[in-house]
Amino acid sequence: MAENPPSATFRAWQAPPPGHAVGAPMARLVRILAAASAALILTQCGAPHAHHVRHVPLLSRKSAHALLASAHEAWTVLATPARRNDWPAARRAYDSATAKLFDQLACGDDLPAAAARLGTTLAPSGRDSADPSQIPYLYPANSIHPGLIHRKHLSPGIGVPVVGWTPESETPSPRANFLPPRGTPRCLTAVLRFSPGKPPAWVFHEPLRSDHLSIGQTTHPLAADWTTAFDYYWQVSRFKRRSITNVFIPERFLVDTGLFFAQPYDPEKIPVVFVHGFKSSPAAFGRMADHLLTEPWFRQHYQAWFFNYPTGLHWLPTAAEFRDDMQRASRYARAHGGARTLGRMVVVAHSMGGIITRASVSDPRDILYRNIFSTPLEKLPLKPESRAEVRRLLFWKPLPEPRRIVFLAVPHRGSPLADRFFAIWISDLIHLPKRLTVDFVDILINDASQQLFHWSKTNSLPTSINGLSPETPIIRSLQQMPIRSDIRYHSIIGDLGRGNSPHSSDGVVPYWSSHLDKAASERIIPAYHGLIGHPQTIDEVTRILKLHLQSR
């Protein structure tokens, strides 16, 4: 889908605030860097393209009649308990014939017609299978080259691992039922089922729902590729490539803001919500999610949700969007019978995503308001709609669903880097939307007197960068807001290798900012701030999720 062109590039560079003056050489360097950054950012656009299967591979160009006969013979063996010793050879024969038949099926635009030419049919959806008529693209998983994740996790068994892909409509409209932005990937396994008196039927099983297959009176493991469907999604969505644009021109990504489910909602599974940080995206959790999905215990008990947002915006309005989306998702889950598992939700949040999460499960009372405004809300010269927005942003009820939170390198007390000149300059380059999803900036500029409002020591417009300064009243307010008492939370903190905690840092956030006295556990990882994919981080998140299953 083509993206809307930006309404503007960067705003002209402005002189730094008092106390941050720079000389002519530095000013020239700044202008050069700004031009280079602009060129880089404007190349991070373009429509994602679906993979196409245009030709049947040479090795798959066999007689469909002969392949069907081979698959049928193997299926008969697999359905017979007395022939258990022959199952391994039968599985190999069945999978080989079915893979070649699927290559012929997938090469073309009209799936029902292709199935009919092979002498087969398409089965409708079932409890653990998808309806192929609702999935525009079906690809053999082994035809897709690795992207973010280079090592595939596979499970041997019956069937052909397949990637299903449904592109997002090019007609602008709200995404329904928490579908992923840009398109929906499906992890599938194609099985050609033989029944007496009927043509062979293609069934597209969803191994994330059930990883076993019944054939007659026997049960067999289902073949699965746990990696490629989601790795393909990270490639086509271009989240990682657009992370810089996400910061500087956040308006272009407001349409992608929101919570989405990695797979169709399952009321029997506990949601694990992943919230990324600054200059990042849900793709940052790609390796972690890939590792977890290979684990049977995770697939049986958990499902992955992701919250995506443009990271150039101040985290306070983003936190309001997060709460709104979580409340909508909770209503959706309860309407589909998920009240029990919803109440055991886990949130895994990195960096600024941890600030968003912590604020959303804390009780602001009137702490936040009093630290920002010096005049009572009812006396501020606000329009009714602006007053309602202030209430939405500064007064809220903590989210009731999360029961456990894993904080990854979170600057609970801010980051000193946010006050450095270079960070302030970068903050000034951020092109804030003309109309924010939460129009807080307009409220402050047009309705409330500047004399009543103390945003930051630089008096800049609010962005994600100056919003993480330890000196801002909002960060200071966060320390005074109590986290819900029934939540257990854990800290995973980076250390650049000096091992000198509490004086250590992950290069962005110092230990004193990430540490929480009441954390149920704290793990120091020898890693930089972007520690999400570090093996020790993944191991610790795995440990915590297993621990969560044992608690009630």
Side-chain angles (χ1 to χ4, degrees):
M1 294 73 62
E3 296 176 355
N4 293 328
S7 55
T9 55
F10 292 133
R11 291 181 290 125
W13 181 74
Q14 299 172 349
H20 294 277
V22 293
M26 178 60 75
R28 284 195 297 273
L29 175 61
V30 164
R31 285 193 292 270
I32 293 171
L33 289 173
S37 299
L40 173 63
I41 285 172
L42 291 177
T43 62
Q44 291 192 328
C45 61
H49 299 288
H51 175 77
H52 286 283
V53 180
R54 300 188 183 278
H55 305 286
V56 177
L58 183 63
L59 294 178
S60 297
R61 297 176 189 177
K62 307 292 183 182
S63 162
H65 179 76
L67 292 172
L68 285 171
S70 177
H72 190 191
E73 180 181 358
W75 182 270
T76 302
V77 173
L78 294 169
T80 307
R83 301 192 63 179
R84 182 179 298 270
N85 292 338
D86 297 325
W87 284 0
R91 284 181 185 173
R92 290 192 295 272
Y94 176 85
D95 287 347
S96 176
T98 305
K100 292 178 173 63
L101 286 165
F102 182 78
D103 283 340
Q104 297 181 30
L105 176 75
C107 188
D109 296 328
D110 190 337
L111 201 65
R117 284 195 300 270
L118 295 176
T120 62
T121 62
L122 301 176
S125 62
R127 183 182 182 277
D128 299 322
S129 61
D131 183 353
S133 68
Q134 300 301 311
I135 304 175
Y137 300 100
L138 293 166
Y139 316 126
N142 62 11
S143 72
I144 297 176
H145 296 294
L148 177 68
I149 302 163
H150 296 286
R151 180 188 173 193
K152 290 189 176 185
H153 290 96
L154 309 174
S155 292
I158 302 294
V160 182
V162 169
V163 172
W165 176 248
T166 303
E168 190 175 49
S169 171
E170 295 188 13
T171 303
S173 60
R175 283 180 284 117
N177 298 337
F178 303 95
L179 295 176
R182 306 285 163 161
T184 303
R186 299 289 282 272
C187 175
L188 303 171
T189 301
V191 171
L192 193 57
R193 179 172 287 277
F194 293 86
S195 301
K198 296 180 180 179
W202 289 100
V203 182
F204 292 89
H205 290 269
E206 300 193 79
L208 288 171
R209 291 185 178 272
S210 176
D211 56 8
H212 283 76
L213 174 71
S214 294
I215 303 178
Q217 298 178 354
T218 66
T219 300
H220 300 267
L222 198 63
D225 181 332
W226 306 109
T227 299
T228 303
F230 298 104
D231 187 45
Y232 179 70
Y233 176 69
W234 303 134
Q235 293 182 59
V236 176
S237 66
R238 298 185 178 180
F239 276 133
K240 191 173 182 178
R241 288 183 59 188
R242 298 181 298 146
S243 59
I244 297 178
T245 327
N246 193 317
V247 175
F248 289 104
I249 316 177
E251 185 171 23
R252 293 174 63 181
F253 303 100
L254 290 177
V255 67
D256 291 341
T257 297
L259 193 70
F260 66 89
F261 302 164
Q263 63 192 87
Y265 177 70
D266 188 335
E268 299 301 318
K269 297 181 181 180
I270 301 168
V272 180
V273 184
F274 295 95
V275 188
H276 65 82
F278 174 74
K279 201 184 79 62
S280 187
S281 74
F285 290 100
R287 289 186 177 88
M288 180 181 291
D290 176 64
H291 172 84
L292 293 171
L293 285 172
T294 66
E295 299 287 346
W297 60 268
F298 184 88
R299 298 195 302 271
Q300 180 181 354
H301 296 289
Y302 289 110
Q303 58 190 318
W305 296 1
F306 295 90
F307 181 68
N308 181 47
Y309 62 97
T311 65
L313 302 184
H314 192 284
W315 62 264
L316 187 63
T318 301
E321 288 298 303
F322 177 66
R323 291 190 298 275
D324 288 349
D325 260 30
M326 289 285 278
Q327 290 165 2
R328 285 192 289 269
S330 296
R331 290 193 295 270
Y332 179 87
R334 288 192 174 89
H336 289 78
R340 179 184 60 84
T341 53
L342 188 67
R344 302 193 63 203
M345 179 187 290
V346 180
V347 182
V348 180
H350 176 242
S351 191
M352 189 167 71
I355 297 288
I356 292 168
T357 302
R358 176 178 174 172
S360 298
V361 297
S362 299
D363 186 353
R365 301 173 183 171
D366 65 345
I367 296 169
L368 196 54
Y369 183 87
R370 286 190 290 103
N371 283 338
I372 297 176
F373 289 96
S374 57
T375 298
L377 178 59
E378 60 273 11
K379 293 186 178 180
L380 284 179
L382 301 177
K383 299 189 291 288
E385 57 271 24
S386 298
R387 195 181 309 277
E389 285 299 306
V390 171
R391 289 188 184 279
R392 175 174 173 265
L393 290 167
L394 304 183
F395 300 92
W396 66 82
K397 291 183 179 180
L399 292 173
E401 289 81 16
R403 283 294 179 270
R404 194 178 298 267
I405 299 173
V406 185
F407 291 117
L408 309 178
V410 174
H412 296 285
R413 299 169 185 86
S415 172
L417 290 183
D419 291 329
R420 303 278 178 89
F421 160 71
F422 190 79
I424 294 173
W425 170 71
I426 291 291
S427 181
D428 282 342
L429 288 179
I430 295 175
H431 182 75
L432 290 173
K434 296 177 181 178
R435 183 184 63 81
L436 291 173
T437 302
V438 181
D439 206 1
F440 197 34
V441 175
D442 182 66
I443 292 169
L444 299 176
I445 294 175
N446 297 324
D447 285 338
S449 168
Q450 290 292 323
Q451 296 177 348
L452 301 176
F453 185 75
H454 313 285
W455 184 267
S456 71
K457 66 181 183 181
T458 64
N459 293 320
S460 302
L461 291 178
T463 69
S464 56
I465 296 178
N466 58 36
L468 293 176
S469 167
E471 302 300 320
T472 62
I474 297 180
I475 285 291
R476 292 199 301 267
S477 298
L478 196 61
Q479 315 313 309
Q480 305 168 39
M481 293 158 48
I483 298 175
R484 265 184 32 222
S485 60
D486 59 338
I487 289 180
R488 293 181 68 82
Y489 48 89
H490 308 258
S491 295
I492 300 178
I493 300 173
D495 185 327
L496 283 181
R498 292 189 287 268
N500 60 336
S501 300
H503 305 293
S504 62
S505 169
D506 64 13
V508 175
V509 180
Y511 175 84
W512 56 259
S513 183
S514 290
H515 172 76
L516 293 174
D517 289 337
K518 295 182 179 180
S521 67
E522 180 179 280
R523 176 81 178 269
I524 306 295
I525 303 295
Y528 180 66
H529 183 65
L531 47 66
I532 299 176
H534 193 283
Q536 292 187 31
T537 302
I538 295 174
D539 287 346
E540 180 66 1
V541 171
T542 298
R543 182 192 71 81
I544 292 168
L545 291 175
K546 287 182 175 179
L547 175 68
H548 188 65
L549 292 177
Q550 300 169 9
S551 63
R552 298 293 175 186

